[in-house]
Amino acid sequence: MNFLEERIQKDGQVREGDILKVDSFLNHQLDIKLLDRIGEAFYEHFKDKRVTRVLTVESSGIAVAFPVARMFGAPLVFAKKSRSMNLDGDLYRSIVHSYTHNIDNVVILSKQYLHSSDSVLIVDDFMANGKAVQGLLDICQQAGAEVAGIGIAIEKGFQNGGRLLREAGYDIYSLAIVDAMSEEGITFREH
């Protein structure tokens, strides 16, 4: 069992609707030392890849992606879920369905921050059905950017997102893959 699986066992809570609540350390209150270890783990896996940008979706993906970008010495860019007054110019757009909130979001990214010369590492905190990652892949495709890989902190292996993306040929590295969960406990996939 790795460091993230141990933390999930210790502090994660299983909720109705296949929800794994990890907000005490990963996506509401942040354990900075844990996030640094996540950044190091993703760096170790992808260090032989050319990474010029780390890409995620706001907002909980930012905390996970930040230490990864720092390790690579690459800019962190994130697709926004709403257009602010200071976001202007040409934009990439994609629709992302949120499993947790059960809504569709149009995510946007300024074209000035992602180019065809980029090699992108996509990073996110969770993956269930893979819709957020698919939206980010769509943005990379619109930009003509290469995808170096996909780093996921927690993957729900009992849902189909990871399987479909692996079958499509993407290099996905998930630190913790949950194969089953209930109030009685959590089962992780062996790496």
Side-chain angles (χ1 to χ4, degrees):
M1 185 173 290
N2 71 34
F3 68 95
L4 184 55
E5 293 167 341
E6 288 175 2
R7 187 62 180 270
I8 294 166
Q9 287 283 27
K10 179 179 177 257
D11 294 325
Q13 299 173 6
V14 177
R15 297 288 171 91
E16 187 177 324
D18 288 330
I19 301 296
L20 177 57
K21 188 173 167 138
V22 293
D23 63 345
S24 68
F25 59 93
L26 192 61
N27 55 21
H28 194 65
Q29 173 175 274
L30 303 174
D31 181 328
I32 301 305
K33 289 181 182 177
L34 179 76
L35 289 169
D36 283 342
R37 289 186 73 186
I38 289 170
E40 291 166 3
F42 285 144
Y43 179 78
E44 278 303 308
H45 183 82
F46 293 109
K47 68 183 175 188
D48 294 331
K49 304 274 182 123
R50 182 178 77 93
V51 174
T52 64
R53 297 263 192 265
V54 175
L55 175 63
T56 193
V57 174
E58 75 173 354
S59 63
S60 57
I62 296 170
V64 175
F66 180 84
V68 178
R70 182 174 52 217
M71 291 295 298
F72 278 99
L76 165 62
V77 292
F78 58 92
K80 294 184 171 216
K81 293 180 183 173
S82 62
R83 187 173 182 151
S84 60
M85 290 175 52
N86 64 352
L87 187 61
D88 55 7
D90 291 334
L91 304 170
Y92 300 115
R93 291 177 175 79
S94 191
I95 297 174
V96 171
H97 181 78
S98 170
Y99 178 82
T100 308
H101 300 285
N102 195 28
I103 59 169
D104 287 335
N105 292 300
V106 175
V107 295
I108 52 178
L109 177 66
S110 174
K111 289 186 178 182
Q112 74 185 69
Y113 300 125
L114 188 61
H115 309 100
S116 60
S117 60
D118 282 316
S119 180
V120 178
L121 179 59
I122 294 172
V123 175
D124 209 355
D125 60 338
F126 266 94
M127 180 165 56
N129 291 317
K131 300 300 183 186
V133 171
Q134 289 173 356
L136 295 175
L137 289 168
D138 179 40
I139 287 174
C140 289
Q141 183 178 25
Q142 290 175 50
E146 173 188 353
V147 176
I150 301 167
I152 304 295
I154 303 170
E155 177 183 337
K156 293 180 179 177
F158 55 89
Q159 293 179 296
N160 65 1
R163 179 184 57 79
L164 293 173
L165 291 167
R166 286 181 182 91
E167 287 173 359
Y170 291 102
D171 179 5
I172 301 176
Y173 181 55
S174 297
L175 293 178
I177 301 177
V178 177
D179 268 341
M181 61 184 197
S182 68
E183 290 181 15
E184 287 76 45
I186 301 169
T187 304
F188 294 101
R189 184 175 300 169
E190 292 294 321
H191 293 270

